[in-house]
Amino acid sequence: MGADVGGLLRYLYGPGDHNDHKNPHIVGAWRPDTETLEPKVLAAAGRAGKGERPLLDFRDLTHRLKAAHELMTSPREKYVMHVPLSSAPEDPILSDEQWADVAATTVKRMGLGEGIGDDEGCRWVAIRHDDRHVHLVVTLARQDGKRASIDNNYDRIKDACH
């Protein structure tokens, strides 16, 4: 759990600890129009050399993810859940649409919403930058400003992944 959704997004869209984040992009979210959620490019890459990434603006996505949390009368100090979801090496490579379905199903099985198009559950995005995994970012406030239950969240995640 964390308290900096913007920082988490910057990390997931950045190069990663081992320069392993390739082509980061949103594959799924609480709303179906994921293309409107992608961070806007502020400046193109390439000025400092090979491998440089564009400068991105995360303010709109951060604001949208935090909106329900800001409605809470007694907000959590740590309100951001980060759940990496991976496939096994022997599994086939999943498409973006398949990863979106995996992420939406995981959110639903964790009791944090009904998946894509849910106007009452938690806001979430699934970011992909690798063939074998996505990162689920969930803000732990329902869209009516109520707290999302995270009781037994590790067991819920484990059950959702199985």
Side-chain angles (χ1 to χ4, degrees), residues 133-145:
H133 70 275
V134 296
H135 294 264
L136 190 57
V137 177
V138 184
T139 51
L140 298 173
R142 297 198 168 277
Q143 293 193 56
D144 60 4

Side-chain angles (χ1 to χ4, degrees), residues 2 9 14 24 26 30 33 36 57 73 76 94 97-98 104 115 125 136 143 145 157:
L9 293 170
I26 296 172
W30 80 97
D33 57 338
T36 67
D57 183 355
T73 54
R76 297 177 195 279
L94 299 180
E97 294 77 20
Q98 289 170 312
V125 293
L136 190 57
Q143 293 193 56
I157 293 168

Side-chain angles (χ1 to χ4, degrees), residues 71-160:
L71 292 174
M72 296 178 74
T73 54
S74 59
R76 297 177 195 279
E77 186 175 321
K78 294 185 177 184
Y79 65 94
V80 182
M81 181 183 282
H82 174 207
V83 182
L85 302 170
S86 300
S87 61
E90 64 273 11
D91 288 343
I93 303 289
L94 299 180
S95 68
D96 284 353
E97 294 77 20
Q98 289 170 312
W99 274 119
D101 186 51
V102 168
T105 300
T106 302
V107 167
K108 185 174 183 171
R109 289 185 179 167
M110 290 173 59
L112 299 174
E114 291 299 315
I116 299 169
D118 181 10
D119 291 333
E120 296 179 17
C122 296
R123 292 187 175 195
W124 60 274
V125 293
I127 298 170
R128 181 179 189 179
H129 53 67
D130 179 276
D131 283 343
R132 295 268 173 219
H133 70 275
V134 296
H135 294 264
L136 190 57
V137 177
V138 184
T139 51
L140 298 173
R142 297 198 168 277
Q143 293 193 56
D144 60 4
K146 294 180 181 171
R147 283 180 180 237
S149 172
I150 56 170
D151 294 339
N152 303 317
N153 64 335
Y154 292 108
D155 289 335
R156 287 182 186 189
I157 293 168
K158 183 177 71 174
D159 290 346

